[in-house]
Amino acid sequence: MEVLMKDCRPVCVAAVVLTGALVFGDASVQAAEEQVQGMLAAQIRSQGFTCEKPLGATRDAKRSRPDYAVWVLKCSNATYRVGRAPDMAAKVEPLR
């Protein structure tokens, strides 16, 4: 049973997000996106990078893999590629 739950996790999370989007509309999706970009901005700031105002975050599906999510974070002053693994510091790469 535990193996099935681990394999189901990404699909289950996507289903919950999709259900929330359908029930609560665009407001919940926008709030989730703002939460992700705010969390990424806080993390890179704690590692010494500058993100004056987070403008958006998009997941890089090609570079992401299980237990390692890669995001492109756009800030008002710079753009970063942020790789995140559980319980580790983020790998931050300035893009522009």
Side-chain angles (χ1 to χ4, degrees):
M1 182 74 175
E2 185 177 321
V3 173
L4 291 175
M5 291 304 291
K6 280 187 176 179
D7 292 341
C8 168
R9 205 173 321 164
V11 174
C12 293
V13 170
V16 169
V17 170
L18 181 58
T19 302
L22 294 174
V23 172
F24 297 107
D26 289 337
S28 67
V29 173
Q30 184 177 4
E33 289 174 356
E34 289 175 5
Q35 184 178 8
V36 168
Q37 71 191 26
M39 180 268 311
L40 290 170
Q43 184 164 15
I44 69 167
R45 286 183 195 122
S46 73
Q47 292 181 224
F49 293 89
T50 304
C51 181
E52 293 173 4
K53 181 180 177 191
L55 301 176
T58 55
R59 190 152 191 254
D60 189 336
K62 284 186 173 183
R63 289 186 168 88
S64 294
R65 56 186 188 272
D67 289 336
Y68 189 77
V70 179
W71 296 84
V72 174
L73 174 65
K74 186 171 186 157
C75 301
S76 60
N77 61 308
T79 302
Y80 301 98
R81 181 175 294 123
V82 182
R84 300 190 67 236
D87 301 322
M88 297 182 67
K91 180 181 176 191
V92 182
E93 177 185 350
L95 296 178
R96 292 183 217 138

